[in-house]
């Protein structure tokens, strides 16, 4: 819970900028919802376009972007330069007395998430600005304390981004190593320096069997298979269990069993496979 010495209405800290644009004359940074990683504020992709097909909102490097669509996904961004964005993002311009970083981390708090949770629409819920702007939010009255709060969280995010880049580099190295290992371009040797025997081809059914234990009427937490992330709880990914455990075609997956998603995607042309590393039985499509 956020503790402060005073509470103020949210629109006293920031204004929602609604300036729109339909035409651009040169290549411009355009931010779409899919460019922002949920729950981290990390920019996944930076695109520049010279033509746009819908009305966009204008933002500057002094603003904050916050997704009003499906706010439970927690998509927000601290832009580093001027650009335009989808109208599904609020463009918030902080009051001059409020450090931009302070407001940025305030909107990430569970406190603010509850405010945006008061939304309209069921299938495509959107945060209600009229409700949010009149809601009381915590404000530390000392300007130096606000600055320190924004600074410390910014330093933590910088560290997270650095570790994320290291993780991505290691994952790329792993993929390259696996390619060389399983193509036999790279081979191990015995301790005495001699080669191991040549590999043998084997039918898949000699290595593993397909198991299809249907969920049926039992209650098992449902997970989706997501490229690059493995098993992700549907309740966490979509804000609800989209199968509702009422889909009899979902399969029970025990710990250490594998699930193969045969659907094609840009990331995995021939599908993806993951092992259930969770210490529990789950339900998967």
């Amino acid at each position: 819970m956020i503790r402060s010495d005073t509470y103020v209405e949210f629109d006293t800290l920031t204004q929602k900028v609604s300036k729109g644009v339909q035409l651009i004359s040169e290549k411009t940074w355009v931010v779409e919802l899919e460019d922002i990683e949920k729950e981290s504020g990390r920019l996944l992709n930076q695109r520049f376009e010279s033509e746009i097909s819908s009305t966009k909102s204008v933002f500057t490097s002094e603003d904050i972007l916050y997704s009003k669509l499906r706010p439970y996904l927690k998509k927000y961004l601290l832009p580093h330069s001027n650009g335009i964005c989808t109208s599904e993002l609020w463009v918030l311009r902080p009051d001059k007395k409020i450090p931009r970083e302070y407001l940025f981390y305030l909107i990430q708090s569970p406190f603010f998430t509850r405010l945006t949770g008061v939304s309209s629409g069921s299938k495509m819920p959107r945060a209600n600005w009229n409700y949010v702007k009149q809601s009381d939010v915590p404000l530390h009255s000392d300007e130096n304390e606000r600055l320190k709060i924004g600074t410390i969280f910014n330093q933590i995010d910088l560290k997270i981004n650095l570790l994320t880049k290291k993780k991505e580099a290691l994952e790329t190295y792993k993929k390259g190593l696996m390619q060389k290992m399983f193509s036999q371009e790279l081979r191990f040797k015995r301790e005495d320096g001699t080669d191991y025997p040549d590999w043998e081809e084997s039918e898949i059914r000699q290595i593993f069997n397909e198991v299809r234990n249907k969920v049926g009427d039992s209650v098992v937490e449902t997970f989706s298979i997501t490229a690059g992330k493995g098993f992700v709880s549907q309740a966490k990914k979509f804000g609800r269990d989209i199968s509702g455990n009422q889909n009899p075609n979902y399969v029970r997956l025990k710990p250490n069993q594998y699930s193969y998603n045969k659907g094609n995607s840009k990331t995995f042309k021939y599908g993806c496979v993951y092992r259930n590393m969770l210490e529990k039985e789950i339900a998967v499509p």
Side-chain angles (χ1 to χ4, degrees):
M1 179 178 178
I2 298 178
R3 296 183 182 278
S4 69
D5 45 14
T6 186
Y7 280 75
V8 298
E9 289 189 359
F10 185 63
D11 66 352
T12 63
L13 304 183
T14 180
Q15 68 174 110
K16 182 168 72 73
V17 182
S18 56
K19 182 181 179 182
V21 61
Q22 291 181 304
L23 297 173
I24 50 179
S25 57
E26 56 186 18
K27 284 194 173 182
T28 304
W29 180 24
V30 180
V31 179
E32 300 289 354
L33 288 180
E34 59 265 29
D35 298 333
I36 305 174
E37 185 176 57
K38 65 179 183 179
E39 299 184 358
S40 74
R42 183 171 172 238
L43 186 65
L44 298 174
N45 173 57
Q46 187 169 17
R47 68 183 79 198
F48 292 89
E49 299 179 11
S50 54
E51 293 183 5
I52 54 176
S53 58
S54 60
T55 301
K56 303 291 183 183
S57 299
V58 178
F59 64 84
T60 73
S61 59
E62 298 178 352
D63 298 330
I64 295 171
L65 306 183
Y66 187 92
S67 176
K68 66 179 180 182
L69 177 65
R70 294 194 181 109
Y72 56 80
L73 292 179
K74 303 176 185 177
K75 290 197 172 189
Y76 30 73
L77 184 69
L78 206 62
H80 54 77
S81 62
N82 300 347
I84 60 177
C85 64
T86 170
S87 57
E88 296 293 359
L89 286 164
W90 283 341
V91 178
L92 304 177
R93 186 159 298 166
D95 182 272
K96 292 182 179 180
K97 296 182 180 179
I98 306 299
R100 188 168 71 129
E101 287 76 11
Y102 177 88
L103 187 64
F104 184 57
Y105 293 106
L106 171 63
I107 66 173
Q108 297 180 40
S109 68
F111 180 92
F112 191 79
T113 301
R114 287 195 293 273
L115 295 182
T116 57
V118 179
S119 55
S120 59
S122 54
K123 292 184 178 179
M124 302 283 280
R126 288 175 171 82
N128 186 331
W129 174 251
N130 288 329
Y131 175 80
V132 172
K133 73 176 184 178
Q134 301 176 67
S135 298
D136 289 338
V137 297
L139 175 68
H140 296 75
S141 59
D142 189 280
E143 294 184 14
N144 290 325
E145 187 173 10
R146 296 177 209 157
L147 185 60
K148 288 181 178 179
I149 289 172
T151 299
I152 190 171
F153 283 117
N154 187 52
Q155 290 173 344
I156 293 172
D157 271 350
L158 290 175
K159 185 69 173 179
I160 290 173
N161 289 335
L162 179 61
L163 293 174
T164 299
K165 289 180 180 179
K166 288 184 177 180
K167 175 178 177 289
E168 291 172 347
L170 285 172
E171 287 175 341
T172 300
Y173 171 72
K174 175 186 173 182
K175 289 178 181 177
L177 192 60
M178 288 177 67
Q179 177 66 28
K180 290 183 177 180
M181 286 286 187
F182 289 102
S183 66
Q184 301 187 59
E185 179 182 343
L186 182 63
R187 295 289 304 274
F188 286 111
K189 292 183 179 292
R190 294 190 178 96
E191 292 183 1
D192 62 6
T194 60
D195 292 330
Y196 282 105
D198 290 337
W199 288 21
E200 297 179 352
E201 290 189 359
S202 175
E203 292 185 351
I204 287 179
R205 63 182 177 180
Q206 294 178 310
I207 301 172
F208 56 77
N209 297 313
E210 182 182 16
V211 180
R212 296 189 64 83
N213 295 323
K214 298 294 184 66
V215 171
D217 296 329
S218 58
V219 178
V220 184
E221 186 177 3
T222 308
F223 285 71
S224 294
I225 306 173
T226 304
K229 294 185 178 181
F231 296 106
V232 178
S233 167
Q234 288 190 353
K236 182 177 181 180
K237 182 178 181 179
F238 302 106
R240 60 189 178 90
D241 190 336
I242 61 173
S243 76
N245 271 318
Q246 293 154 10
N247 189 333
N249 293 321
Y250 274 57
V251 179
R252 302 167 73 98
L253 193 71
K254 296 180 180 180
N256 293 316
Q257 287 185 333
Y258 290 84
S259 182
Y260 173 63
N261 182 345
K262 60 186 178 182
N264 290 344
S265 68
K266 292 181 180 179
T267 307
F268 291 94
K269 185 176 180 180
Y270 302 107
C272 52
V273 58
Y274 290 104
R275 179 159 61 118
N276 179 10
M277 302 292 286
L278 303 170
E279 297 180 353
K280 62 180 180 180
E281 189 175 64
I282 62 176
V284 295

